[in-house]
């Protein structure tokens, strides 16, 4: 009877086993692993995985704005961009408040070309882009910061995301929950085999991964009298733990 149960569980393990490394590379958490190994006549080693997800309230917002200008003359595109970018930087510092970080995160000047079949490309103008990243802890002011950027001259939102800067307690909770799930599986398998869990031979922690909330990418800003509404929501912290346990049978 025990051999029949072992064969069934081993077959299931082969079908559901996924390498832990896939999770470590940033992919979605792997399905729980189950692997049985016969150590001796009375000892069977079981490998199981536990997954856990803990929801948390973000404490940091990261916003990326761009000022994009175009002109037939490169220097004119640059100068117009510089004028507007200075206005945007000043507005962002005022709106984001003390403690916020406002910094330039990218700059480019690119020719705009027209392509015609059988002819070399023709430069018709130039586009200048100056990107600014704002990192702030006052999440209630995110909408106001977006509005201030638009009114000052920013005409693109390259990204808005919410994350958790102080995440140790949430990571610890996710790790605890994943370990508890793995241990529960090992106990269940031991009971199903008519045995008992005697020791934990190995524990592998695949790491906790925070999934930030991303709301927008490459969205044009509109200047109007309406305030921009932002609903933050919760983010997820995921963790996976693999436990190698030894079961005594008989």
């Amino acid at each position: 009877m025990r051999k029949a149960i072992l064969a069934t569980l081993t077959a299931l393990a082969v079908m559901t086993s996924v390498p832990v490394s896939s999770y470590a590379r940033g992919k979605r958490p792997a399905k729980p692993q189950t692997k049985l190994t016969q150590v001796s006549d009375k000892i069977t080693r079981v490998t199981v995985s536990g997954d856990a997800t803990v929801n948390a309230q973000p404490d940091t917002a990261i916003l990326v704005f761009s000022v994009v200008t175009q002109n037939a003359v490169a220097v004119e595109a640059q100068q117009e961009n510089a004028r507007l970018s200075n206005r945007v930087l000043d507005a962002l510092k005022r709106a984001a408040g003390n403690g916020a970080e406002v910094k330039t995160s990218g700059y480019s000047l690119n020719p705009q070309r027209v392509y015609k079949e059988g002819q070399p490309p023709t430069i018709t103008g130039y586009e200048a882009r100056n990107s600014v990243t704002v990192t702030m802890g006052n999440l209630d002011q995110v909408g106001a910061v977006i509005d201030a950027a638009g009114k000052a001259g920013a005409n693109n939102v390259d990204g808005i995301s919410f994350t958790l800067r102080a995440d140790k307690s949430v990571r610890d909770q996710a790790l605890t929950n994943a370990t508890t799930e793995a241990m529960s599986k090992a106990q269940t398998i031991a009971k199903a085999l008519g045995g008992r869990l005697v020791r934990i031979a190995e524990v592998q922690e695949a790491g906790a991964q925070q999934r930030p909330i991303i709301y927008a990418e490459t969205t044009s800003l509109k200047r109007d009298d309406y305030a921009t509404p932002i609903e933050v929501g919760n983010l997820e912290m995921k963790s996976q733990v693999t436990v190698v346990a030894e079961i005594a049978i008989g």
Side-chain angles (χ1 to χ4, degrees):
M1 180 64 178
R2 184 173 74 84
K3 291 183 178 180
I5 295 175
L6 268 172
T8 301
L9 287 174
T10 302
L12 288 172
V14 171
M15 289 187 289
T16 61
S17 179
V18 177
V20 177
S21 59
S22 65
Y23 180 87
R25 288 195 299 266
K27 298 181 180 179
R28 294 181 62 183
K31 292 181 180 180
Q33 299 181 51
T34 303
K35 180 181 178 182
L36 294 171
T37 304
Q38 191 72 31
V39 179
S40 66
D41 290 340
K42 293 185 177 181
I43 298 295
T44 296
R45 180 169 288 182
V46 59
T47 302
V48 293
S49 291
D51 296 300
T53 300
V54 175
N55 293 322
Q57 184 70 25
D59 59 14
T60 303
I62 302 172
L63 304 92
V64 183
F65 303 98
S66 288
V67 175
V68 182
T69 55
Q70 297 174 339
N71 198 287
V73 181
V75 69
E76 294 293 337
Q78 285 180 303
Q79 289 179 353
E80 176 65 9
N81 193 283
R83 183 182 68 83
L84 292 175
S85 294
N86 283 327
R87 286 175 48 183
V88 169
L89 284 170
D90 290 341
L92 289 175
K93 290 174 182 178
R94 289 194 301 269
N98 295 330
E101 180 186 40
V102 180
K103 65 178 182 180
T104 298
S105 52
Y107 185 87
S108 64
L109 176 67
N110 295 310
Q112 298 175 303
R113 296 181 173 91
V114 173
Y115 295 87
K116 294 183 180 180
E117 188 175 354
Q119 299 180 18
T122 303
I123 296 177
T124 59
Y126 295 86
E127 179 180 280
R129 176 184 291 264
N130 194 336
S131 299
V132 178
T133 297
V134 180
T135 303
M136 55 189 292
N138 187 353
L139 305 190
D140 293 334
Q141 286 295 107
V142 170
V145 169
I146 294 174
D147 294 337
K151 291 176 181 178
N155 48 15
N156 219 66
V157 179
D158 298 324
I160 303 174
S161 61
F162 295 90
T163 186
L164 191 62
R165 183 176 294 181
D167 61 359
K168 183 181 184 303
S169 62
V170 181
R171 285 178 181 271
D172 290 348
Q173 186 61 56
L175 181 60
T176 298
N177 294 353
T179 304
T180 300
E181 183 184 77
M183 290 296 297
S184 176
K185 289 179 181 178
Q187 293 280 8
T188 299
I189 292 174
K191 184 178 179 181
L193 293 175
R196 59 187 177 85
L197 191 63
V198 292
R199 78 183 188 99
I200 302 300
E202 186 178 349
V203 177
Q204 298 176 359
E205 190 261 319
Q209 183 183 40
Q210 185 183 145
R211 299 182 63 183
I213 306 168
I214 301 175
Y215 278 102
E217 289 185 359
T218 317
T219 302
S220 297
L221 283 171
K222 296 180 179 179
R223 298 188 184 92
D224 51 39
D225 294 329
Y226 294 100
T228 300
I230 296 293
E231 190 68 31
V232 179
N234 291 324
L235 56 80
E236 295 180 344
M237 181 72 74
K238 293 182 177 292
S239 184
Q240 186 182 76
V241 172
T242 299
V243 171
V244 180
E246 291 186 353
I247 298 171
I249 301 174

